[in-house]
Amino acid sequence: MTTSVPAPRIPEAVHRRRWAILGVLMLSLLIVVLDNSILNVAIKTIATPAPTGLGATQSEIEWAINSYTLVFAGLLFTAGLIGDRLGRKKVLLGGLVVFGIGSALAAESGSPAQLITYRAVMALGAAFVMPATLAVLMNVFERSEQPKAIGIWAGGVGLAIAIGPITGGALLDHFWWGSVFLVNVPIVLIAVALMVWLVPDSRDPKPGRLDPIGVVLSVLGLVLLVYGIIKGGELADFTDPKVLATIIGGVVVLIAFVVFEKRSDHPSLDVTYFRDEVFSAAMAAIALVFFALMGVTFFGVFYTQSVRGYSPLESGLLMLPLAAAQMIFAPRARLLVDRFGNKATTTAGMLLIAATLAAFATFEADTPIWLLEVVFFLMGTGMAHIMTPTSVVIMQALPREKAGSASALSNTFRQVGGALGIAVLGSVLATSYRNGIEDKLGALPPGLRDTAGESIEATLGIAEKLGPRGQALVTPAYDAFLHAMHVTALWGTGVALVGTVVVAVFLPGRPPAAEAGEREPELISTGD
């Protein structure tokens, strides 16, 4: 008797259009991921004084990035729960509409403060889109096809990474800076129309009672923790009393959330799932890899545009190998998992990420650009062989009815890891740069001296204003930034190595063929 005997649980009408539904889900995912990748290449333009940009300071640029992350991470878990209860299709449609409205408003921002606010509105919508896409996927594919579908879904992230910087660069070459946000609107309209037509609704059939206290505690704890991390990165000082108080407050609230959920008879999150070492290790791997990668993305933009002198479009094109590797390998990573197991595949992926981060510590202003392209390709390869196996482990660890919560939990760890990466590694970059440049700024007035030490962009901007007198600052600025980038890359390498140890110790290896065959019917019946 084969393992394919159990009756299908997906209605035939839905099963026939499952791949078309996956395409719509990937389009919805595309705009959420694309937004951040587009913004990366626009950082320099938005920092340029009006009318070209908004004249945003480095801290305002950082908040434009992190206001999105803060709201996104804080609401993801709640959004997954609401989708489980009200229906994933309804939540997806509502989230897309809010995201589209926020994008249109962001495009017309008249000040950095308005941009930060409207980015938060975009994140409000995105928080409802991201978990619902994976939850719908789990409810339109049979369990046997879920790994393949998740692999293709993960490859969509690679597609967004490719399209974002290139689209952003092309728009900035021909239009005003707001066009990088306005481009989301037509994509939203197409996605909404296709979703109304194709995507079925689904929800948890036994949602039980709501858990308002748990939801409030989870949101409050995450917001406090992420806000503290972001503020620490902005100040480049995690010992600041306000920063410490906010981070500690967030940790205390999250501990209270865990205690409350353990004692509740209707928890919004069953924290007993984390007793499973495999589930917990997969979550940790996602957080750690995004910690390292988001930090690299942050300083990589300044390396290619400020030090190497590439335009936004050229900088976007340089990211193509990373995206190509993800699109090539994410759908195929499951083949390696089938042959070698989760442990070997994910450990190799984490080691590859660590090696590519270490490579950044060797880059100089005249390093052949093809070496950067090779590193980006290998980085995308490593990421593909981490995200697909860990996503499958996480989604199949929870019952199908809780798919929205599982997806939200996974994406929350991803966003919190990314926020930590930007904040902590951004702090390392800023501190190292200031230490490297400050003794070269002695001839400047005290006010200008402090401003020039904030970042390489600030130093180069003041050097340009000073004319010929400022040229003496250009080479020291490049040298200080490259040293800061090397230090930051090594910190990221260390984080990736910690992730390597976690997955090597806790993720499962390849089960014996007989054991796998015996367990498969049980695995299929578990989601009924």
Side-chain angles (χ1 to χ4, degrees):
M1 186 173 179
T2 65
T3 59
S4 59
V5 169
R9 293 165 297 180
I10 309 300
E12 180 59 29
V14 174
H15 183 73
R16 282 199 305 267
R17 64 178 191 265
R18 65 196 185 282
W19 298 109
I21 293 170
L22 179 59
V24 178
L25 296 177
M26 288 178 63
L27 183 62
S28 304
L29 175 71
L30 182 73
I31 60 170
V32 174
V33 180
L34 180 128
D35 179 70
N36 269 336
S37 57
I38 279 185
L39 183 60
N40 282 337
V41 298
I43 287 173
K44 278 191 66 178
T45 306
I46 294 173
T48 306
T52 303
L54 289 176
T57 65
Q58 178 166 321
S59 62
E60 288 170 337
I61 289 290
E62 194 169 331
W63 274 112
I65 297 171
N66 287 329
S67 65
Y68 188 91
T69 303
L70 177 63
V71 176
F72 195 59
L75 292 179
L76 264 175
F77 183 61
T78 306
L81 293 173
I82 292 174
D84 283 345
R85 286 170 168 80
L86 300 183
R88 284 78 180 239
K89 180 177 181 176
K90 297 183 185 73
V91 164
L92 256 175
L93 289 170
L96 283 171
V97 169
V98 171
F99 185 88
I101 293 170
S103 297
L105 292 171
E108 298 298 328
S109 298
S111 67
Q114 287 183 8
L115 178 61
I116 292 166
T117 301
Y118 296 142
R119 287 271 297 163
V121 174
M122 293 169 67
L124 173 64
F128 284 86
V129 172
M130 178 71 91
T133 58
L134 196 48
V136 170
L137 181 155
M138 298 297 287
N139 280 274
V140 299
F141 284 91
E142 294 291 348
R143 193 175 184 92
S144 59
E145 285 188 319
Q146 285 173 5
K148 180 180 180 181
I150 289 174
I152 296 171
W153 179 88
V157 177
L159 182 65
I161 290 174
I163 293 175
I166 295 169
T167 304
L171 289 169
L172 290 172
D173 276 359
H174 296 93
F175 304 102
W176 94 114
W177 65 267
S179 61
V180 301
F181 298 109
L182 197 61
V183 72
N184 292 330
V185 176
I187 302 175
V188 166
L189 293 175
I190 294 170
V192 167
L194 290 173
M195 195 168 295
V196 170
W197 178 36
L198 288 171
V199 176
D201 206 356
S202 63
R203 68 182 73 193
D204 188 338
K206 299 177 181 177
R209 288 181 290 162
L210 290 175
D211 178 27
I213 296 177
V215 169
V216 170
L217 287 174
S218 67
V219 172
L220 181 60
L222 281 171
V223 168
L224 284 172
L225 178 62
V226 175
Y227 178 86
I229 292 165
I230 292 171
K231 193 66 177 176
E234 180 189 346
L235 298 175
D237 181 12
F238 281 87
T239 63
D240 181 90
K242 291 181 181 178
V243 171
L244 283 175
T246 308
I247 292 176
I248 292 171
V251 171
V252 169
V253 173
L254 288 174
I255 291 172
F257 166 69
V258 171
V259 172
F260 180 82
E261 296 298 281
K262 286 180 70 174
R263 295 179 177 178
S264 174
D265 58 357
H266 56 285
S268 53
L269 169 65
D270 189 345
V271 294
T272 59
Y273 289 128
F274 287 93
R275 293 175 183 169
D276 184 337
E277 292 180 345
V278 173
F279 182 82
S280 297
M283 286 293 191
I286 285 176
L288 290 172
V289 75
F290 269 84
F291 180 104
L293 286 173
M294 289 297 286
V296 169
T297 303
F298 191 71
F299 69 66
V301 172
F302 292 104
Y303 174 69
T304 55
Q305 292 189 33
S306 299
V307 176
R308 302 302 296 260
Y310 289 102
S311 70
L313 177 57
E314 291 167 337
S315 181
L317 289 170
L318 289 175
M319 297 290 289
L320 267 178
L322 189 152
Q326 284 202 59
M327 287 186 286
I328 292 168
F329 293 112
R332 295 170 174 80
R334 64 191 174 85
L335 302 176
L336 283 183
V337 173
D338 290 343
R339 183 168 183 179
F340 301 107
N342 275 299
K343 183 191 294 285
T345 303
T346 312
T347 300
M350 291 296 292
L351 279 173
L352 194 53
I353 291 289
T356 55
L357 290 169
F360 273 95
T362 67
F363 283 3
E364 301 293 344
D366 57 354
T367 298
I369 204 64
W370 65 265
L371 285 176
L372 178 65
E373 298 298 87
V374 170
V375 166
F376 275 146
F377 185 83
L378 293 175
M379 186 174 286
T381 303
M383 190 173 180
H385 289 92
I386 296 167
M387 296 309 299
T388 298
T390 53
S391 294
V392 171
V393 166
I394 291 165
M395 295 307 293
Q396 293 193 343
L398 271 62
R400 177 190 294 263
E401 293 76 16
K402 303 297 182 184
S405 298
S407 174
L409 197 56
S410 169
N411 282 291
T412 296
F413 271 66
R414 181 185 304 183
Q415 292 299 319
V416 171
L420 273 164
I422 291 174
V424 176
L425 296 184
S427 175
V428 172
L429 185 73
T431 303
S432 298
Y433 180 78
R434 184 178 288 278
N435 291 340
I437 196 69
E438 61 185 358
D439 61 342
K440 307 293 193 301
L441 304 175
L444 296 176
L448 279 182
R449 196 181 311 156
D450 188 59
T451 303
E454 287 182 359
S455 67
I456 183 172
E457 278 303 303
T459 308
L460 295 177
I462 287 174
E464 186 177 354
K465 288 180 182 178
L466 292 175
R469 290 189 303 124
Q471 287 304 305
L473 292 175
V474 174
T475 299
Y478 289 159
D479 292 342
F481 176 82
L482 288 169
H483 172 70
M485 183 179 81
H486 296 163
V487 172
T488 308
L490 291 176
W491 273 66
T493 303
V495 172
L497 289 174
V498 171
T500 304
V501 173
V502 169
V503 297
V505 172
F506 294 110
L507 285 191
R510 181 170 176 260
E515 181 186 340
E518 290 168 4
R519 285 204 327 238
E520 185 63 20
E522 180 184 319
L523 282 175
I524 293 176
S525 64
T526 299
D528 279 334

